[in-house]
């Protein structure tokens, strides 16, 4: 079971300490890096599954992390689970990257040729209704700003809602493009 495997990993003192550090340092610390050698040493089948189905395995790992946080932890907090030191057969040069690698976990080796400066990207937008000033949080994906469809306030006229973006209270993440 994937959840049980992640629970075993995070019960190790090394990773339990990282969980405590993230809890104390959030939002500045929002990532936990797990060494693949620790995963493979604990359960080789789990390691193979992680390489073949990384999206599913990492999503379950994030859920396990959130379940292990104390009751005061906000479950909507964004956490990154990262895997480090992949085996050599999962390390690929950029020129050898092919369609067969889609959906699998690989490490890419190459030289950075160009990198943009870090820029903020809106991840969760706070909108306020122009009529009643009600707050509405709207998750953001992609490059187009998504506004709420209706005002949550029962007394507000919902026929043609207009919302104002509260840029200062909205949540952002830093993004950067890197050319290898």
């Amino acid at each position: 079971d994937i959840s049980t495997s992640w629970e075993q990993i995070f019960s190790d003192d090394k990773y339990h300490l990282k969980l405590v550090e993230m809890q104390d340092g959030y939002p500045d610390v929002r990532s936990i890096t797990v060494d693949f050698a620790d995963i493979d040493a604990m359960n080789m089948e789990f390691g193979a599954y992680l390489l073949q189905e990384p999206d599913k395995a990492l999503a379950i790992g994030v859920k396990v992390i959130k379940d292990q946080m104390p009751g005061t932890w906000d479950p909507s907090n964004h956490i990154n689970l990262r895997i480090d030191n992949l085996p050599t057969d999962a390390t690929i040069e950029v020129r050898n990257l092919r369609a067969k690698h889609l959906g699998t976990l690989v490490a890419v080796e190459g030289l950075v040729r160009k990198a943009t400066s870090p820029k903020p990207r809106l991840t969760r937008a706070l909108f306020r209704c122009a009529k009643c000033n009600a707050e509405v949080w709207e998750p953001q994906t992609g490059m187009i700003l998504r506004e709420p469809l209706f005002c949550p306030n029962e007394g507000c006229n919902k026929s043609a809602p207009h919302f104002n973006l509260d840029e200062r209270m909205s949540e952002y993440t830093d993004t950067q493009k890197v050319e290898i």
Side-chain angles (χ1 to χ4, degrees), residues 5-121:
S5 297
W6 280 120
E7 288 169 3
Q8 289 175 338
I9 292 286
F10 296 127
S11 66
D12 183 90
D13 289 341
K14 174 168 101 175
Y15 296 110
H16 183 73
L17 182 61
K18 288 183 178 189
L19 289 173
V20 171
E21 288 173 359
M22 185 175 66
Q23 175 189 341
D24 293 341
Y26 194 87
D28 294 328
V29 178
R30 61 176 68 199
S31 296
I32 291 182
T33 303
V34 176
D35 192 321
F36 186 83
D38 294 337
I39 293 171
D40 208 35
M42 189 221 27
N43 184 338
M44 290 178 67
E45 289 178 5
F46 175 52
Y49 179 79
L50 176 63
L51 291 174
Q52 291 304 310
E53 298 289 339
D55 292 337
K56 293 177 186 174
L58 292 173
I60 293 169
V62 168
K63 184 181 180 325
V64 168
I65 292 171
K66 289 183 177 185
D67 290 345
Q68 292 187 1
M69 291 298 191
T72 57
W73 180 264
D74 183 359
S76 69
N77 288 347
H78 181 73
I79 296 173
N80 297 310
L81 177 55
R82 303 178 191 282
I83 308 299
D84 199 9
N85 298 323
L86 292 182
T88 54
D89 60 337
T91 303
I92 300 168
E93 292 182 22
V94 174
R95 67 175 166 253
N96 295 328
L97 200 57
R98 300 288 182 259
K100 69 180 181 180
H101 298 112
L102 281 173
T104 64
L105 186 61
V106 296
V108 178
E109 288 185 351
L111 296 173
V112 174
R113 295 181 44 176
K114 193 187 317 182
T116 64
S117 58
K119 296 177 184 174
R121 181 176 55 92

Side-chain angles (χ1 to χ4, degrees), residues 119-127 137-147 165-175:
K119 296 177 184 174
R121 181 176 55 92
L122 190 60
T123 56
R124 242 178 111 218
L126 175 61
F127 289 94
W137 286 95
E138 188 72 29
Q140 300 295 314
T141 56
M143 302 303 291
I144 299 171
L145 183 66
R146 287 184 25 188
E147 286 192 29
L165 175 64
D166 187 339
E167 292 178 357
R168 299 187 92 207
M169 296 301 293
S170 294
E171 296 175 4
Y172 299 85
T173 188
D174 291 329
T175 60

